[in-house]
Every structure is written in structure tokens, then in C-alpha cells.
Amino acid sequence: PTYVAVGKHDILIDRKPLMAFCAKLQQRGILARMDVFPRAPHGFGEGTGTGADGWISRAVDFIGSF
């Protein structure tokens, strides 16, 4: 499985290619999830104090469910 996390306001990462990447993985039967976090810039780390707060738990839950 593949988990992708990106901030909605990330000025360095274009979400469109990431969305296409996740879609291609899913088309090939690979489990993939992409979360776009509001109020999260590039390099949000653990997410504390940003819109990405809790992303690590979400990733662990997603990966751990398989």
C-alpha cells in the first residue's frame, strides 16, 4: 500500500501528478490513498500546529489495515 500526504498550500508540490500517480497505482490493484491537508505548507513535519495535524496516525491506520 501507498500513502501520500500533501498540504493544500504546498507551493513546491503539484497535487495533480500525485493524484494521477495514486490513480495509476489503484488501476494496477495497488492500494493507495492520498490526503490533501488544508492549511498545511510544504514540509509540515509531524503536522503539529498545521492543517496536517494527525497525518501520521492516518498513515499508520491506512497501512496497518492490510
Side-chain angles (χ1 to χ4, degrees):
T2 300
Y3 179 83
V4 177
V6 65
K8 183 175 181 180
H9 300 288
D10 189 328
I11 61 172
L12 299 176
I13 303 296
D14 184 353
R15 289 186 310 277
K16 289 180 184 178
L18 288 176
M19 291 167 47
F21 172 68
C22 286
K24 290 285 186 185
L25 290 174
Q26 292 169 345
Q27 289 170 3
R28 289 173 170 78
I30 299 168
L31 300 169
R33 175 178 173 174
M34 179 175 163
D35 285 332
V36 179
F37 294 100
R39 300 177 319 280
H42 182 79
F44 49 75
E46 293 178 353
T48 305
T50 74
D53 193 25
W55 80 267
I56 294 173
S57 295
R58 293 170 66 101
V60 169
D61 289 346
F62 173 71
I63 300 294
S65 67
F66 304 102

